[in-house]
Amino acid sequence: MAVISLKHVLVAVALVSSAAQAFPAYGSLAGLSERDFKFAMSTLKPRMPAPAPGPLRFDGPKLAEDKEHPFKPMKMDDLRGPCPGLNTLAAHGYLPRNGVATPAQIIQASMDGFNMENNLARFTTYAAHLLDGNVVTDLLSIGAKTPKTGPDPDTGALVAGLRNHGTFEGDASVTRADAFFGDNFSFNETLFDQFVDFSERFGNGFYNYTVAAELRFHRVQQGIAENPHFSFVGFRHLTAYAEVTFPVNMFIDGRRTGFERLQLDMQTAETFFKDNRFPRGFHRSEKPSGTEGLVEIFSAHPTQPGRNAGAVDTFTVDDSLGDVGSANGFCSIYTGLANVTIPSLYPNPTGVLRRNLITNLQFLFDGLPKQSNCTQIFPFGSM
Ligand code: HEM
Ligand SMILES: *[C@@H]1O[C@H](CO)[C@@H](O)[C@H](O)[C@H]1NC(C)=O
Ligand SMILES: *[C@@H]1O[C@H](CO)[C@@H](O)[C@H](O)[C@H]1NC(C)=O
Ligand SMILES: *[C@@H]1O[C@H](CO)[C@@H](O)[C@H](O)[C@H]1NC(C)=O
Ligand SMILES: *[C@@H]1O[C@H](CO)[C@@H](O)[C@H](O)[C@H]1NC(C)=O
Ligand SMILES: CC(=O)N[C@H]1CO[C@H](CO)[C@@H](O)[C@@H]1O
């Protein structure tokens, strides 16, 4: 008798707390149990995915911190994550300052603030949205408020947005430590000191493609030697190389020319990586920019995708989710995402979830580089 009433009390408490605890509109629906999914759908407002913005009309350099985009310090409830580019865009109001946005807003902001090239902005953003966003509400958070990255105990939601480890966010970042070491998204002073040291040794005090090649390779070697769970597979094999080109292509003032245009000074680097803001007077890139320099950075020290097997120095090659260095590099990464990783997050989608997954996968495919000629994959069928 006593046991039954205690059980009733617990059930009642659980009902009250889950009723009070609506599913967060930006929480990922990946991997939810059927029960949690039903609850989520009962509280969420589904939206048709907004169409992807096209290229900029004026695509030259432009003052980033203009009248409409002043820097403002974070408020208590603002969400920030591992990407210094997106954190900066939110701090200046190119993105909603709270850090929750639609994919269309993220693409537009990356173009407006940094002149990121349209296809790259689309491919990156839809990959992020499919991996970490809420595809039913069409919202993605660029990070999280609390350090917590696991599922929310009340709703099962993955609320960490881009801080979520192992989907987009990954190991071997140049200014953020691996998740294994505890803090996977914050600016890390020790690693930034290493960034400065490499820039002194290989770039005469500036960060450039030569420095990027050395530092990228070194961070991979560090991961293999120090992190028993070091993982460098599939999409991460691409983003790790793409991200080291961004500081040269998009953190340097677009009014520079010649050799100087490709040499990033340390004060500017620190303003973006640590303070997440545009330097005073900064002008965005002079032309739509993306992963220029990636091939020469990769070729300087080619690596293969793979992971440590639970102990340091046990790196084992695994190219089942793609390999940037292979003949069809970009397509192999796309195939890993569309054929394996994304369907594994959503094993049996139906209704509006399935519809929006199909739409976002189409947007992802449309964002592939124009010359890439990849075979499209339809893991959820077509509409
Ligand atoms: C288009 C949408 C974008 C998305 C979804 C995105 C997402 C991310 C994520 C999840 C990471 C963390 C990956 C990791 O290192 O573990 C990251 C890193 C990074 N992002 Fe972005 N990003 C975007 C645009 C940009 C832009 C426009 C810039 C620069 C102007 C930028 C610069 C960087 C840099 C430099 C890193 C590397 C940080 C490091 O290694 O310490 N991103 N981005
Ligand atoms: C910064 O990164 C280093 C190297 O990965 C790591 O040992 C250290 O614990 C990190 N520091 C903080 C404060 O997270
Ligand atoms: C990087 O800087 C070093 C030192 O100035 C220079 O020798 C090298 O050519 C630069 N690399 C690139 C790609 O600009
Ligand atoms: C996609 O995965 C299936 C197995 O789930 C496999 O049979 C097929 O060959 C894969 N397609 C591509 C293009 O890799
Ligand atoms: C694109 O791929 C198709 C089939 O995979 C092939 O027949 C065609 O020649 C390719 N086109 C280019 C421009 O590479
Ligand atoms: C795997 C993972 O998410 N690791 C960590 C990421 O960073 C946060 C904040 O320090 C940790 O709480 C997670 O355990």
Side-chain angles (χ1 to χ4, degrees):
M1 208 42 201
V3 173
I4 289 169
S5 62
L6 176 60
K7 205 169 147 193
H8 279 132
V9 170
L10 289 178
V11 168
V13 167
L15 284 176
V16 167
S17 66
S18 69
Q21 184 82 38
F23 194 93
Y26 57 84
S28 168
L29 296 162
L32 290 187
S33 69
E34 208 170 309
R35 189 175 154 277
D36 285 341
F37 180 69
K38 280 209 175 109
F39 169 70
M41 292 304 287
S42 73
T43 75
L44 294 175
K45 263 201 224 106
R47 259 207 312 212
M48 288 289 264
L56 292 174
R57 262 187 241 161
F58 170 69
D59 63 7
K62 188 161 101 48
L63 181 67
E65 188 172 19
D66 58 16
K67 281 223 172 60
E68 292 88 66
H69 301 99
F71 174 81
K72 289 188 191 164
M74 271 175 77
K75 292 220 186 87
M76 261 267 285
D77 286 338
D78 292 348
L79 311 177
R80 295 293 183 267
C83 176
L86 297 180
N87 290 345
T88 297
L89 292 169
H92 285 268
Y94 281 96
L95 283 173
R97 291 179 188 268
N98 69 0
V100 178
T102 65
Q105 286 175 317
I106 293 178
I107 294 161
Q108 192 66 50
S110 301
M111 295 190 302
D112 287 341
F114 284 109
N115 213 352
M116 188 183 236
E117 189 273 322
N118 178 257
N119 276 72
L120 179 68
R122 285 189 282 143
F123 183 78
T124 311
T125 301
Y126 289 112
H129 188 49
L130 284 157
L131 294 169
D132 291 326
N134 187 314
V135 295
V136 165
T137 58
D138 204 32
L139 289 172
L140 167 66
S141 87
I142 67 171
K145 187 171 54 171
T146 61
K148 191 174 62 185
T149 60
D152 180 68
D154 293 317
T155 59
L158 290 168
V159 288
L162 291 180
R163 260 196 212 178
N164 202 4
H165 175 66
T167 42
F168 193 133
E169 191 285 317
D171 292 337
S173 310
V174 296
T175 70
R176 270 80 176 150
D178 292 1
F180 175 76
F181 298 107
D183 185 335
N184 40 25
F185 57 88
S186 306
F187 174 80
N188 178 307
E189 197 73 56
T190 314
L191 290 177
F192 189 71
D193 288 347
Q194 181 170 266
F195 180 99
V196 173
D197 178 51
F198 270 66
S199 300
E200 273 160 11
R201 281 159 55 199
F202 299 100
N204 196 25
F206 295 84
Y207 179 89
N208 64 21
Y209 295 148
T210 309
V211 177
E214 298 305 321
L215 185 56
R216 165 44 57 239
F217 187 61
H218 181 70
R219 287 292 293 138
V220 173
Q221 300 311 302
Q222 258 182 330
I224 293 172
E226 295 171 9
N227 176 355
H229 297 289
F230 181 71
S231 177
F232 201 57
V233 296
F235 190 52
R236 183 64 189 143
H237 197 230
L238 167 66
T239 59
Y241 284 94
E243 284 162 17
V244 293
T245 71
F246 293 168
V248 175
N249 300 331
M250 291 181 284
F251 286 169
I252 298 177
D253 196 300
R255 294 168 302 176
R256 299 257 179 86
T257 54
F259 181 75
E260 273 214 323
R261 170 59 186 86
L262 299 174
Q263 318 297 316
L264 174 67
D265 69 82
M266 292 301 102
Q267 202 188 328
T268 303
E270 187 165 348
T271 305
F272 281 116
F273 278 112
K274 182 177 184 180
D275 306 334
N276 296 308
R277 66 184 291 175
F278 285 110
R280 288 271 142 73
F282 179 87
H283 283 55
R284 73 180 186 197
S285 180
E286 71 283 11
K287 59 175 194 308
S289 301
T291 59
E292 295 79 5
L294 190 150
V295 172
E296 52 185 294
I297 290 168
F298 184 87
S299 315
H301 298 286
T303 63
Q304 284 179 288
R307 62 171 73 73
N308 273 346
V312 299
D313 292 321
T314 56
F315 190 78
T316 312
V317 171
D318 176 0
D319 65 2
S320 64
L321 296 174
D323 176 350
V324 165
S326 66
N328 222 355
F330 227 100
C331 292
S332 73
I333 303 289
Y334 160 74
T335 303
L337 280 174
N339 202 37
V340 184
T341 308
I342 293 166
S344 78
L345 296 174
Y346 297 98
N348 253 317
T350 56
V352 66
L353 175 62
R354 174 170 170 268
R355 181 198 73 186
N356 285 6
L357 284 169
I358 291 171
T359 306
N360 280 292
L361 271 169
Q362 182 67 48
F363 290 165
L364 178 74
F365 181 77
D366 295 340
L368 283 163
K370 289 183 197 99
Q371 69 284 8
S372 57
N373 197 25
C374 306
T375 305
Q376 189 167 6
I377 305 221
F378 298 93
F380 307 114
S382 51
M383 284 185 288

